[in-house]
């Protein structure tokens, strides 16, 4: 297939440090190329890829030495995607919603993976208006606030399952990895570590928006010999940290859409102690890959039992469900169904006396250039936000 992958410009691919979305897009792109597909990656100029590469900025925006307007840069990227769209069988967006109005004038099939939280104001109204936009969730739980969206699949994120990352023996410290922010709840991780008397290594970035939270709420808690703040780490440092840990602490205080670090930890054989929010119960198997808890007290009790967890079982669960080839396979299924639907709708436009297949939405252009969406009664479920696939 001829596939376009459209990544955010915030981080390079792969990211130098933190960057969950960019890491997922990089892994997917490289796997699709490895499988022989013709892939074009739209990403920042400092990205490294085996695919054809289209860049409208020289370097990723977060680490840029010059102040770049993010909206302008992503608008320029979208212009390039639209210009080149006819050469692709499908365009896979990993960005936000800015392309929605434009794509009504483009015939190339598209799909958007929603990587973030969906319990935000006005999203419902947006997806009712743009009900022809095909979207993928990264967990079933992520969908709950937005039943109006035209869901066409759930594809779990994939992570490297290199056997070199696996550590059969547990280390003597706990790990916290990700971002320092209220929703990631590092304060709870620190409390848990102090109560069980086990060292905690915190590898996390601090975004500008969270600097005050770090200075006021977190930094005073670091003045303890049990707590080590490492800061942002690269991939090699991350897997060394996770593999050497006794357990990963994931005491989130929000509806986590996926939680990539849980899968990365399990790939190393390291069990996870996580609060039961968002996707946690989908990604983990309670009692097999760690423990799903609701409070700090329960987390303390789980750490006392963490040696009951088989580290090989953690790795197996990750490999079976969250490997990069498995992620690519699921996305290819989505691509195939969307392109088949597009071909069926084109046949229907050419011979309108032929009834369109169930679920076909004919999103095309009228003679005067305005967008048109025609659908048979059988496709009305899709327009009400039910899955097409």
């Amino acid at each position: 297939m001829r596939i376009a992958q459209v990544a955010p410009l915030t981080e390079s691919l792969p990211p130098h440090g933190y960057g969950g979305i960019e890491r997922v897009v990089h892994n997917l792109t490289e796997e699709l190329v490895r499988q022989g597909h013709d892939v074009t990656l739209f990403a920042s100029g400092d990205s490294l890829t085996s695919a054809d590469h289209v860049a409208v900025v020289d370097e990723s925006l977060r680490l840029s030495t010059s102040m770049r307007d993010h909206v302008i840069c992503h608008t320029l990227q979208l212009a390039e995607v639209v210009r080149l769209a006819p050469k692709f069988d499908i365009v896979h967006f990993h960005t936000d919603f800015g392309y929605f109005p434009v794509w009504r004038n483009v015939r190339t099939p598209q799909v958007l993976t929603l990587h973030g939280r969906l319990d935000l104001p006005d999203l419902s109204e947006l997806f009712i208006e743009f009900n022809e936009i095909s979207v993928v969730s990264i967990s079933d739980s992520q969908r709950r606030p937005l039943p109006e969206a035209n869901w066409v699949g759930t594809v779990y994120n994939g992570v490297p399952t290199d056997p070199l990352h696996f550590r059969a023996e547990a280390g003597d410290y706990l790990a916290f990895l990700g971002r320092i922010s209220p929703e990631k709840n590092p304060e709870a991780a620190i409390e848990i570590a102090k109560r069980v008397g086990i060292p905690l290594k915190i590898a996390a970035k601090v975004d500008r928006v969270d600097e005050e939270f770090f200075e006021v709420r977190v930094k005073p808690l670091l003045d303890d010999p049990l707590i080590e703040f490492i800061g942002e780490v690269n991939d090699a440092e991350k897997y060394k940290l996770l593999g050497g840990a006794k357990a990963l602490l994931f005491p989130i205080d929000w509806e986590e859409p996926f939680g990539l670090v849980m899968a990365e930890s399990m790939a190393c054989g390291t069990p996870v102690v996580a609060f039961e929010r968002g996707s946690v119960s989908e990604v983990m198997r309670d009692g097999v890959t760690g423990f799903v808890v609701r409070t700090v007290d329960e987390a303390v009790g789980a750490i006392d039992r963490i040696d009951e967890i088989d580290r090989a079982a953690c790795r197996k669960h990750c490999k079976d469900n969250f490997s990069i080839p498995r992620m690519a396979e699921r996305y290819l299924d989505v691509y195939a169904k969307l392109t088949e639907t597009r071909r069926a709708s084109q046949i229907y436009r050419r011979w309108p006396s032929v009834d369109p297949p169930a679920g076909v939405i004919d999103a095309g252009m009228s003679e005067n250039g305005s967008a048109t969406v025609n659908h048979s009664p059988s496709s009305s479920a899709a327009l009400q936000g039910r899955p097409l696939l």
Side-chain angles (χ1 to χ4, degrees), residues 264-276:
E264 291 171 330
S265 183
M266 290 186 289
C268 298
T270 300
V272 182
V273 175
F275 281 11
E276 190 179 22

Side-chain angles (χ1 to χ4, degrees), residues 119-334:
D119 54 340
L120 303 174
D122 302 326
L123 277 185
S124 177
E125 185 177 353
L126 178 72
F127 279 91
I128 290 172
E129 168 62 28
F130 292 97
N131 52 29
E132 77 274 24
I133 296 293
S134 302
V135 289
V136 166
S137 54
I138 55 176
S139 67
D140 290 337
S141 67
Q142 183 196 26
R143 298 184 180 195
R144 290 173 191 153
L146 202 62
E148 302 85 358
N150 178 24
W151 298 109
V152 297
T154 288
V155 179
Y156 293 132
N157 289 331
V159 300
T161 53
D162 189 328
L164 295 177
H165 294 156
F166 177 65
R167 293 277 294 274
E169 300 297 327
D172 59 358
Y173 62 88
L174 304 172
F176 176 96
L177 191 145
R179 285 185 292 116
I180 296 294
S181 62
E183 64 268 20
K184 297 295 185 177
N185 206 3
E187 298 161 287
I190 292 169
E191 181 181 353
I192 293 164
K194 289 179 177 179
R195 286 181 56 178
V196 297
I198 298 176
L200 173 66
K201 295 186 178 186
I202 302 174
K205 74 166 184 173
V206 182
D207 285 331
R208 289 180 182 176
V209 69
D210 296 311
E211 286 177 355
E212 182 178 356
F213 171 75
F214 175 71
E215 291 293 330
V216 175
R217 301 278 294 275
V218 178
K219 196 171 182 179
L221 304 177
L222 303 179
D223 188 19
D224 187 293
L226 283 175
I227 311 302
E228 179 184 0
F229 182 76
I230 299 171
E232 193 170 359
V233 295
N234 60 31
D235 259 16
E237 294 166 334
K238 172 179 64 180
Y239 284 110
K240 182 179 179 181
L241 174 75
L242 289 174
K246 188 179 187 70
L248 171 75
L249 298 182
F250 196 66
I252 52 170
D253 192 21
W254 72 310
E255 299 308 306
E256 176 71 61
F258 182 78
L260 197 66
V261 68
M262 290 191 289
E264 291 171 330
S265 183
M266 290 186 289
C268 298
T270 300
V272 182
V273 175
F275 281 11
E276 190 179 22
R277 298 288 300 273
S279 66
V280 165
S281 294
E282 277 184 72
V283 176
M284 289 182 57
R285 287 186 62 193
D286 187 36
V288 176
T289 64
F291 296 103
V292 179
V293 300
R294 294 175 180 83
T295 65
V296 168
D297 286 342
E298 289 183 9
V300 169
I303 295 297
D304 290 338
R305 299 175 53 204
I306 205 67
D307 291 338
E308 299 174 12
I309 301 299
D310 182 352
R311 293 175 71 93
C314 290
R315 172 173 162 72
K316 183 179 186 303
H317 177 72
C318 179
K319 190 173 182 180
D320 289 347
N321 296 279
F322 311 119
S323 70
I324 294 170
R326 184 74 179 109
M327 172 179 64
E329 174 189 337
R330 288 166 170 158
Y331 273 123
L332 286 168
D333 287 343
V334 171

Side-chain angles (χ1 to χ4, degrees), residues 324-351:
I324 294 170
R326 184 74 179 109
M327 172 179 64
E329 174 189 337
R330 288 166 170 158
Y331 273 123
L332 286 168
D333 287 343
V334 171
Y335 300 162
K337 291 173 182 177
L338 290 175
T339 54
E340 288 167 7
T341 299
R342 169 62 67 180
R343 282 193 291 270
S345 70
Q346 289 171 339
I347 293 171
Y348 171 60
R349 280 200 303 271
R350 184 171 297 179
W351 294 286

